[in-house]
Amino acid sequence: MNEETWMRMGHLAEQMGGIDQALSCYLHALQFNSYNPTALRQVAGIYEWKGRYDDAVFMFERLINLENTNGKLWCALGNCLVRMNKPQRAYTAYQQAIFTLANPKDPTVWYGIALLYEQTQNWEHACEVFNSLLRTKPQLPQTPEIWFRYALAYKAQGKYQDALDCFQEIVDTPPPPLTTVDILCQCAAVYEVEKEYDSARAVYERV
């Protein structure tokens, strides 16, 4: 009865936008049943949203102990591990995700894998995955961020014109928290590297 009450209060708090209150309620529910999968999932998701990746990983691992064939949980775990700069553990989690998901081409998994390649400076493979995501799933929520990271990967390889083309795709729709000014400054920096000083000056003047 107490567990159910705390769960309902947590759900209500989430609906009202009270994330911290919701987290507190779900944690109280877990005191009555430490294996409540819904509470674990909600707590893990809130921790991930708040950037508390250590805590999120702990909760996702508890969930995976209950549902070790749930590919979405493995993917969420991998996403947190990437952000914690733990590439080997993230790679293992993504492997499990691909193995257990009904759709092994799930873009969420492959976006995480692209970030993993980026983190390990495997730029060529990162570009391949970014390109595949943009070609097959052009309307993903992460599309502006994919273009930005795609551009940075090209820039790291010295493929400056390709980098500029990618930056141009998001000048008017930059991924938050970046702004149009940030993207223009990236373009100007690329022009400077290429010694195209007139173009760089024109972009800086626009900024």
Side-chain angles (χ1 to χ4, degrees), residues 24-50:
S24 177
C25 291
Y26 292 132
L27 288 172
H28 274 92
L30 288 171
Q31 289 179 6
F32 293 96
N33 177 6
S34 60
Y35 293 101
N36 183 316
T38 303
L40 286 170
R41 188 173 284 106
Q42 297 303 105
V43 169
I46 292 172
Y47 280 149
E48 183 180 9
W49 180 79
K50 291 170 76 71

Side-chain angles (χ1 to χ4, degrees), residues 107 130-144 146-147 169:
F130 286 140
N131 181 56
S132 177
L133 286 169
L134 291 169
R135 189 176 65 251
T136 59
K137 298 284 184 180
Q139 301 303 322
L140 288 172
Q142 304 97 330
T143 293
I146 291 172
W147 278 113
E169 290 285 340

Side-chain angles (χ1 to χ4, degrees), residues 41 60-75 77 92-93 95-101:
R41 188 173 284 106
F60 280 127
E61 287 178 336
R62 285 176 64 180
L63 268 169
I64 287 169
N65 285 334
L66 300 174
E67 309 172 33
N68 65 1
T69 59
N70 188 325
K72 290 186 177 181
L73 292 178
W74 282 109
C75 178
L77 176 62
T92 300
Q95 277 188 318
Q96 290 294 326
I98 292 170
F99 181 71
T100 52
L101 278 168

